[in-house]
Each structure stands twice: as structure tokens, then as C-alpha cells.
Amino acid sequence: MNLWRSPPGRPAAAPNKKSATGKRIAAVILWVLALAAEVGAILMLNGRWYIPEEQKMYWLIGALVIDLILVIIGSQLWKKANRLDPASKQSSVKFFLWNNMGFIAAVVCFLPVVILLLANKDLDAKTKKIVTVVAVIALILASVFSIDFNPVSAEELAEAQQTVGNGSVYWTQFGKSYHLDPNCHTLMRSSKVYPGTIEEAFEANRTDPCDFCALDKDGN
């Protein structure tokens, strides 16, 4: 078992919040750029931005691809920020919105284009069919990659911090859990194990305590 060493010491809460804020700002900037790509596609569709008919399909697909890339990268940054500085469950509305901002951005950046494509009667039939299919696929992909299927709360992070204390936790490259015991038998099957703080484990999306070593130590 190869134990990869991360820098020692637990990062303070302030650096975590600062890093999360930076990632959220970057995500919003990327979503604004994605929205600009969507506006460009809409301007092409309604003729405000003139593109020759024989080139329009390629320009529209290009705008949608750029839109998709920006939305997904922004959503990944937002989800990473939420693991560093998660929202509290005390406000269920904020918790839901905060953890679904990526999905909301995906819908805002693609659904209007899909609707306009379906309603457009002037676009060449072949172009309309192909671009509509691309737009629908882009909407689905952006939504899937933007949804946080396993959101964590501030309470869950605080509970994990209290359980772990100043000690290290351990996780693997493909596992979903963090471990308190470096000799946990579930880690023996992994060629590489990453040690770090509980905050680093959460940032790596390892937010589930091991059913053996972590939960046993917690007394559950």
C-alpha cells in the first residue's frame, strides 16, 4: 500500500472559506460567459447576428459546445466550494438552492435555446434538427454534471471535524469514504492511499465515513 503524503496540519476555517469564495466567484464568471454564449446563439437564431445559412449550423453548434464547457467547469467549481464551505440545513430553502446552483445555471443557459429552436420556423430543416438534438444533449449533459447528488451540510462537516479532531483521515483514489484507521482492512486492497485532514477529505468528495473504522470509532 503506497501512502501518499499531503502537507501536515489542518487548514483553518478562514482559508477554507476564502478558497470557497474564490471558487464561487470563478464559477459565477464562467456561468456569465456561458450565458453570453447562449445569447450569441439566440442572436444567430433570430437573425440579429448575421451568419450565412451554410455556416449557421456550425456556428450554433460551436456556441453550444462553448456554453456546455463553461457551465460544467463552473458547476464543478461550485460543488467543490460547497464541500469546503457547505451551507447549513437550518434553512432548507437556502440549502436546496445553494446545492443546486449548477443545475439552475445549466437550465438557464440551455433551455431558452431549446425552446427557441423548437419554435423557429425560418431555420433550415436539417440545421434545425441537428442543432436541436445537440442543444438537448448539451442540456442533459450540463444538468447531469452540475447536479450535486451527495450534498453535504455545515452540520455534517462540523460533526466530522469533532469526531476526527486534529487527527488525519485516509481515502483512496476511487473510494467514496474517508477512514480513521490507516490499517482499515478496506484500504488494504488499494495501491495508493491519501492521508489528510477531514477538510481535505471533504474537498476530495470523500464525505462518507467508513462503515468499519470511522463509524465504529464514532460509536455508531
Side-chain angles (χ1 to χ4, degrees):
M1 179 176 65
N2 179 20
L3 197 63
W4 183 90
R5 294 290 176 187
S6 63
R10 167 176 293 183
N16 279 349
K17 289 182 179 293
K18 184 176 180 180
S19 178
T21 299
K23 287 178 172 60
R24 288 187 177 116
I25 291 173
V28 171
I29 291 173
L30 289 171
W31 288 336
V32 170
L33 292 174
L35 194 60
E38 179 192 25
V39 170
I42 291 173
L43 292 175
M44 289 182 229
L45 283 173
N46 62 24
R48 295 292 182 89
W49 181 1
Y50 174 72
I51 302 292
E53 284 299 320
E54 64 273 13
Q55 300 178 17
K56 186 172 287 188
M57 179 175 69
Y58 305 104
W59 279 76
L60 286 169
I61 292 175
L64 291 171
V65 170
I66 292 172
D67 194 353
L68 176 63
I69 293 171
L70 292 171
V71 167
I72 289 178
I73 295 176
S75 296
Q76 295 304 308
L77 286 172
W78 189 271
K79 287 193 287 187
K80 204 172 186 68
N82 283 347
R83 291 192 290 270
L84 282 170
D85 181 29
S88 172
K89 280 187 174 180
Q90 290 181 354
S91 173
S92 57
V93 174
K94 179 183 177 181
F95 184 78
F96 174 81
L97 292 175
W98 208 242
N99 287 293
N100 286 280
M101 286 298 294
F103 174 70
I104 293 170
V107 172
V108 170
C109 288
F110 286 102
L111 188 58
V113 176
V114 173
I115 294 172
L116 288 174
L117 280 166
L118 293 173
N120 192 296
K121 297 180 180 179
D122 301 322
L123 203 60
D124 173 74
K126 179 182 177 182
T127 300
K128 178 178 179 178
K129 181 178 180 180
I130 293 175
V131 176
T132 300
V133 170
V134 171
V136 170
I137 292 174
L139 172 60
I140 294 171
L141 288 175
S143 299
V144 170
F145 281 99
S146 297
I147 294 173
D148 192 344
F149 293 99
N150 186 33
V152 296
S153 66
E155 291 80 7
E156 289 171 316
L157 177 57
E159 182 181 352
Q161 289 171 327
Q162 185 176 7
T163 300
V164 174
N166 291 321
S168 295
V169 294
Y170 308 86
W171 63 92
T172 62
Q173 191 168 12
F174 299 106
K176 297 180 180 180
S177 302
Y178 65 84
H179 305 257
L180 298 186
D181 183 1
N183 297 313
C184 179
H185 73 275
T186 60
L187 292 174
M188 296 299 104
R189 294 170 290 183
S190 301
S191 60
K192 184 179 289 187
V193 176
Y194 298 85
T197 63
I198 187 62
E199 292 87 358
E200 289 171 329
F202 269 58
E203 185 179 4
N205 201 23
R206 303 305 190 266
T207 59
D208 179 49
C210 171
D211 290 338
F212 298 97
C213 62
L215 287 181
D216 284 347
K217 186 170 182 177
D218 194 28
N220 293 321

